[in-house]
Amino acid sequence: MTALRLGLIVLFFAWAPSLQAGQCRFTLNNQSTLKMEGAFLYARGQVASARDPAFADESWATMKVPFRWQDTMGAYRGEIWLRCHITLFGQRPEAAGLRLRDLSDADEVYFNGIRIGQTGSFAPLKPVFSEERLYMIPATAWQEDNVIAIRLYGSSALSGIKSAPVLIRDATATGGRFQFEGMALAFSTLYIFFALFFAVRGVVTLRPRENLIFAAFCGMLGLYQMIRNGYRYDFFEEFTTSFAAELLLLIPLPFVFYEFLIAWTEHNRPRYVLYLEGVAGLLWICTALMPFLPAQRVTTLLQASMYINLLILAGGAVAGVLLIRRIYREQKQRLQYPAIGFLIILPFVIHDMLVSAGLLKTPALFVFAFPVFLATFAVQLARNELDLEQMSRHRSTEKKQAERRKTEAIYNVSREFQHHFDGVRSALNKPKQSEKQLKQHATALRQLLGDAKLLSALEEGSYELRQARFSIREQVRLLVNEVQIATGEKPSRFQLELPPDQERFWSDLGLFHACLYHLVENAVLHSTGKIQIRAGVVDGTLRLSVRDEGPGIGVDAQDRIFDKFYRGSGLKAPGSGIGLTIVDLAVQLLNGRLHLESGPGFFTVFDIELPEMQEVNI
């Protein structure tokens, strides 16, 4: 007999699901949750007495739950009632709750005739969607046979119950959900503080634009998460208005972030970002107008706006990857850490997009991932501050060096003037040598004044090229003679290898004079041995070489020898420090090439190659 009873019990539980599905009856034993998925009894229209557990619903049709409105209701828009029985076995639950997810638009739920919860409003219609419901069931309301009656209003094809209702025996165990929302709210508040921090930073720093844009980004993200995690009805009276506000904050978020990147890196805005911004701007305007439309249309339009925004976000995510990749190639040091942070949060962005689209039923996680990006951004800011400090120190050092060079330049020029004035005074006191010395110092002074004028014109870009066809041999001899007069040097030091007198060359004669004069003068003043001067034209290019057998130029000094006012250490001969600078600038203007080779303690060679100018017919 005992075996027979056991067999009947096994058969009952084996066939129970099919019986429950046909009669809409679920059994609650001692399990923690009961998923109410199956055929519910339903009727269209206002049936106020359907809340009564004794209501006769035998004539009602059946409908499988979960369901989408467009699949079962067709074109009907309005109110429906759903009913189902729950048989209780075992101990009565003390803190049970009914959880409804993915339900829209407005609902009202009764348990054994007792209203246990309502979301939204039926008259006037105030729809609520994409918001989880958890209705507590009083312990005293439980009976052996229980009836759940759900009153639902559908205003669009997207309405319905898209996830099966779940009966939870101990609803207090769902406190983790509230802890999750509390943590999300704490992070949202943190973003508001970050927004204030960057706003203040934008006011007090020299780069306000990127700081204020990032402050706007953090503030918008913080407000968006606060609406979603606890402050919805503190900020707004109706769900549709709050949902529209969510979208108005969410739609521009990726583009605000792009604006920050563009401002921070001083990069040009790509064209595809402009296109996406235009589409997002149109969607933003349309979404802002939706809450003012009739309530029967608001649900459809807002959800359509949400799905369109998901497509824009998908395009924005791709655009973000392309933009960061493009900038990263050019400014790797500036985007090193934020790029890592962006790659970390990108999967969370995709996850939340799938959650919003209804493809995943897990909680949104981006609110917890974004601090990772903030941390990487903070590390980058700290590194940038260190780089700026080092750059500031470097600039301070350069400024001090520039001031020192300026002082040295003034000293060198005044010293050279003093040298020539002393020479003139000495010549006047020695009548026998006065004519030669006066000529020497007058030539040097004239050259010094001409150099100052020429250097100013070359640096300002105001020098006008003047083409001339001249004899290389004649001009080299003339310039060597001028150097001899200005320095008082003997002709025996010079060794000349020059082309025939009839060989001519087209170039700027004034710049040619300046280049050769200062190279020869430099060799005379800073060496004691022979000075070799070679000149010739090869394949339309003038090749000029000045070689001395002096002490040479150190490796460190070679990098700075053409800097304005620079003079090597330990030099006794007077000089202004602008001669080689003029040579360098003149060769550049003539599209030539200047090369220095020096063996410290042995020799120094300056080689110049000048292309011939195009001949001008006069």
Side-chain angles (χ1 to χ4, degrees):
M1 193 67 176
T2 304
L4 178 60
R5 288 180 179 176
L6 182 60
L8 291 174
I9 292 173
V10 171
L11 288 173
F12 173 78
F13 282 106
W15 288 97
S18 62
L19 293 174
Q20 293 168 3
Q23 302 174 4
C24 188
R25 180 175 294 276
F26 295 92
T27 301
L28 179 64
N29 296 302
N30 293 321
Q31 69 265 42
S32 59
T33 60
L34 173 63
K35 188 176 183 180
M36 301 176 66
E37 183 176 8
F40 276 63
L41 298 172
Y42 90 98
R44 298 181 182 183
Q46 298 181 4
V47 189
S49 56
R51 71 189 68 176
D52 189 346
F55 177 78
D57 54 14
E58 292 82 3
S59 61
W60 284 18
T62 59
M63 177 177 61
K64 188 176 180 181
V65 176
F67 73 97
R68 291 181 180 273
W69 198 272
Q70 62 182 358
D71 299 332
T72 57
M73 297 292 111
Y76 174 73
R77 302 292 182 265
E79 184 177 321
I80 67 170
W81 281 83
L82 300 167
R83 283 171 59 91
C84 196
H85 292 258
I86 300 176
T87 302
L88 175 64
F89 287 107
Q91 187 177 1
R92 179 182 66 182
E94 295 295 330
L98 180 67
R99 184 174 67 193
L100 299 172
R101 290 173 125 183
D102 298 330
L103 187 149
S104 61
D105 296 322
D107 66 275
E108 188 177 25
V109 181
Y110 293 87
F111 186 83
N112 290 335
I114 302 172
R115 192 177 76 165
I116 60 174
Q118 177 179 346
T119 302
S121 172
F122 289 80
L125 177 62
K126 295 181 180 180
V128 176
F129 49 88
S130 73
E131 187 174 275
E132 182 178 320
R133 285 86 152 151
L134 181 61
Y135 299 143
M136 301 300 295
I137 302 175
T140 56
W142 282 94
Q143 302 173 11
E144 183 177 346
D145 183 35
N146 305 277
V147 177
I148 285 183
I150 301 176
R151 181 188 178 195
L152 181 65
Y153 191 98
S155 64
S156 71
L158 300 175
S159 302
I161 302 176
K162 304 177 189 67
S163 296
V166 177
L167 185 63
I168 305 172
R169 174 177 283 275
D170 184 7
T172 58
T174 62
R177 167 175 168 263
F178 298 104
Q179 293 177 3
F180 181 89
E181 291 182 354
M183 291 175 60
L185 184 61
F187 277 96
S188 304
T189 307
L190 178 65
Y191 300 155
I192 299 298
F193 282 114
F194 269 107
L196 295 175
F197 168 76
F198 283 103
V200 173
R201 194 171 186 271
V203 173
V204 301
T205 61
L206 297 177
R207 298 177 63 91
R209 186 165 178 257
E210 60 262 35
N211 285 283
L212 294 178
I213 293 175
F214 197 72
F217 177 79
C218 292
M220 292 167 65
L221 179 61
L223 289 175
Y224 169 76
Q225 295 294 344
M226 290 178 77
I227 293 173
R228 292 184 59 88
N229 296 288
Y231 278 89
R232 180 183 302 278
Y233 296 106
D234 292 315
F235 295 159
F236 305 94
E237 294 183 358
E238 298 183 8
F239 176 84
T240 52
T241 308
S242 68
F243 192 81
E246 285 184 36
L247 291 176
L248 293 178
L249 290 170
L250 185 61
I251 290 171
L253 264 182
F255 306 103
V256 174
F257 180 70
Y258 299 156
E259 290 298 321
F260 159 71
L261 281 180
I262 291 169
W264 190 36
T265 59
E266 298 178 352
H267 198 274
N268 295 326
R269 183 183 290 99
R271 183 172 297 178
Y272 55 82
V273 172
L274 287 175
Y275 294 151
L276 284 173
E277 287 179 347
V279 175
L282 290 175
L283 180 63
W284 193 92
I285 294 173
C286 294
T287 304
L289 298 175
M290 289 178 186
F292 302 100
L293 299 175
Q296 288 77 8
R297 299 182 180 180
V298 170
T299 301
T300 304
L301 293 174
L302 285 178
Q303 293 192 55
S305 176
M306 178 185 70
Y307 288 117
I308 294 173
N309 184 49
L310 288 176
L311 293 176
I312 295 176
L313 284 176
V318 175
V321 172
L322 294 176
L323 180 61
I324 289 181
R325 180 184 177 186
R326 182 177 178 180
I327 299 176
Y328 187 79
R329 289 177 176 177
E330 301 173 2
Q331 304 184 36
K332 182 177 180 180
Q333 294 298 325
R334 199 165 191 179
L335 275 184
Q336 181 176 2
Y337 297 105
I340 295 173
F342 181 80
L343 293 177
I344 292 174
I345 66 173
L346 186 59
F348 293 93
V349 174
I350 297 173
H351 170 270
D352 284 13
M353 290 171 59
L354 296 176
V355 170
S356 299
L359 301 177
L360 293 178
K361 304 300 181 183
T362 54
L365 299 175
F366 178 76
V367 64
F368 303 108
F370 186 67
V372 176
F373 176 78
L374 287 178
T376 58
F377 184 64
V379 172
Q380 188 67 55
L381 284 179
R383 178 171 179 173
N384 290 350
E385 292 294 336
L386 291 175
D387 292 342
L388 285 175
E389 184 178 355
Q390 293 177 357
M391 187 180 300
S392 177
R393 291 179 179 177
H394 181 67
R395 287 180 177 177
S396 178
T397 302
E398 287 185 339
K399 185 178 179 180
K400 291 180 181 178
Q401 291 176 349
E403 291 291 335
R404 186 169 61 250
R405 287 196 298 269
K406 182 179 178 180
T407 303
E408 291 175 353
I410 296 174
Y411 171 75
N412 291 333
V413 172
S414 61
R415 181 187 175 195
E416 187 165 2
F417 270 108
Q418 185 65 44
H419 169 74
H420 295 302
F421 283 135
D422 289 344
V424 171
R425 185 183 302 110
S426 176
L428 293 176
N429 293 331
K430 298 178 181 179
K432 295 182 180 180
Q433 302 177 0
S434 61
E435 183 178 352
K436 182 179 179 180
Q437 288 187 0
L438 283 173
K439 188 175 182 180
Q440 173 185 344
H441 293 293
T443 302
L445 284 172
R446 184 176 66 253
Q447 185 66 40
L448 181 61
L449 295 174
D451 287 345
K453 184 179 179 181
L454 177 59
L455 178 62
S456 176
L458 290 173
E459 288 185 326
E460 294 176 359
S462 60
Y463 183 87
E464 296 182 2
L465 291 173
R466 297 177 178 85
Q467 297 185 35
R469 190 168 183 266
F470 56 87
S471 168
I472 299 173
R473 184 183 186 90
E474 178 184 345
Q475 294 300 323
V476 171
R477 288 185 175 278
L478 177 64
L479 285 168
V480 170
N481 184 59
E482 285 188 12
V483 173
Q484 292 176 16
I485 294 174
T487 60
E489 193 58 58
K490 297 178 180 180
S492 58
R493 286 193 60 190
F494 300 96
Q495 296 179 352
L496 306 181
E497 296 182 16
L498 304 175
D501 188 62
Q502 62 270 19
E503 187 166 350
R504 300 288 191 268
F505 188 74
W506 276 94
S507 188
D508 186 294
L509 185 58
L511 295 183
F512 175 79
H513 278 194
C515 292
L516 184 58
Y517 180 89
H518 286 293
L519 291 181
V520 175
E521 181 193 42
N522 190 71
V524 170
L525 294 177
H526 304 298
S527 69
T528 56
K530 295 291 185 180
I531 300 173
Q532 296 178 352
I533 303 173
R534 294 188 177 95
V537 178
V538 180
D539 297 330
T541 300
L542 173 62
R543 295 183 178 180
L544 183 65
S545 174
V546 178
R547 186 181 192 279
D548 66 63
E549 299 175 351
I553 303 172
V555 177
D556 295 337
Q558 290 181 27
D559 296 332
R560 300 180 57 194
I561 197 69
F562 299 105
D563 293 347
K564 185 169 61 173
F565 302 131
Y566 176 78
R567 301 190 77 229
S569 58
L571 296 180
K572 298 180 179 180
S576 61
I578 63 174
L580 293 181
T581 304
I582 291 175
V583 174
D584 186 35
L585 294 175
V587 170
Q588 292 181 36
L589 186 59
L590 294 172
N591 298 318
R593 188 179 71 88
L594 173 62
H595 176 69
L596 164 65
E597 182 181 358
S598 182
F602 297 95
F603 68 93
T604 297
V605 180
F606 287 93
D607 292 315
I608 294 178
E609 293 183 2
L610 299 177
E612 189 168 21
M613 289 183 173
Q614 186 175 0
E615 185 174 348
V616 178
N617 296 322
I618 303 176

